Amino acid sequence: MAYTRATMRGFTLIELLVTLAIAAILLTVAVPNFITFVQNNRLASQANDLVTLLNLARSEAVKRNQTVTVCSSTNGTACAGSTSWEGGYIVFADTDGDGTVDAGEDVLQVRQALESSNTLRAGTQVRITYQSNGFSPGFGDTFRLCDVRGTASARAIVVSPQGRVSTSVGTASCP
């Protein structure tokens, strides 16, 4: 049986090599951009988690008409007393206002440690305490959320003495 060009199927070697060369060029451009995209999304997600948790604490303080505290925690049940928050953090109803989780005080929310060796550091505070009016006088601070890229992509999460939370990109110095 004789084969004609119309009945032959498949790729020639040249077509295959051109396709592989184009795919290699696209991958060398796309992979670094994808890694940056993933890192940016991870930082944004972690910053949003902290902002959400702080806003939850503020609204719970107003709703319950009592003090609510957010603190770093490595075990999810007690405050660690550290300005390093990458090990996790908790929100609890602090009925006696002492900044520690005591018997009978409800732990409202627990956040686990940050993934991919990102760091979350508070400036000076080991806890943020909201009063029943939603203010946090004496507990205003700036959290610095950083990854391996350093200050240029770092997130700053600022808690004002009025309890308001805001974020910015590239304004925090990394440890």
Side-chain angles (χ1 to χ4, degrees):
M1 172 182 225
Y3 292 101
T4 63
R5 187 172 268 289
T7 60
M8 296 174 74
R9 306 216 172 183
F11 296 106
T12 65
L13 182 59
I14 302 234
E15 291 171 333
L16 180 63
L17 290 176
V18 168
T19 303
L20 289 175
I22 291 172
I25 291 169
L26 290 176
L27 284 175
T28 58
V29 171
V31 169
N33 289 335
F34 182 71
I35 291 170
T36 301
F37 174 76
V38 168
Q39 288 172 328
N40 287 339
N41 281 339
R42 184 176 294 125
L43 278 178
S45 174
Q46 291 170 345
N48 289 340
D49 279 347
L50 180 59
V51 169
T52 300
L53 201 75
L54 291 167
N55 286 330
L56 169 79
R58 185 178 187 197
S59 67
E60 284 292 320
V62 172
K63 182 177 92 174
R64 293 170 178 255
N65 196 27
Q66 71 181 45
T67 304
V68 174
T69 298
V70 182
C71 65
S72 62
S73 175
T74 55
N75 60 10
T77 59
C79 292
S82 171
T83 57
S84 297
W85 289 51
E86 60 266 5
Y89 37 96
I90 60 173
V91 177
F92 64 96
D94 194 6
T95 55
D96 58 2
D98 66 352
T100 60
V101 182
D102 300 315
E105 292 180 336
D106 295 332
V107 174
L108 306 174
Q109 192 76 252
V110 177
R111 287 286 193 257
Q112 300 303 318
L114 301 180
E115 68 268 0
S116 70
S117 70
N118 288 358
T119 61
L120 177 62
R121 304 287 165 83
T124 57
Q125 299 293 335
V126 296
R127 63 186 165 112
I128 303 291
T129 298
Y130 288 98
Q131 297 174 343
S132 61
N133 61 4
F135 284 29
S136 59
F139 291 99
D141 204 352
T142 300
F143 291 88
R144 300 175 322 264
L145 177 62
C146 301
D147 65 5
V148 295
R149 296 174 293 166
T151 302
S153 61
R155 305 291 199 268
I157 299 105
V158 180
V159 181
S160 73
Q162 293 78 26
R164 185 170 176 262
V165 181
S166 61
T167 61
S168 60
V169 177
T171 58
S173 62
C174 292

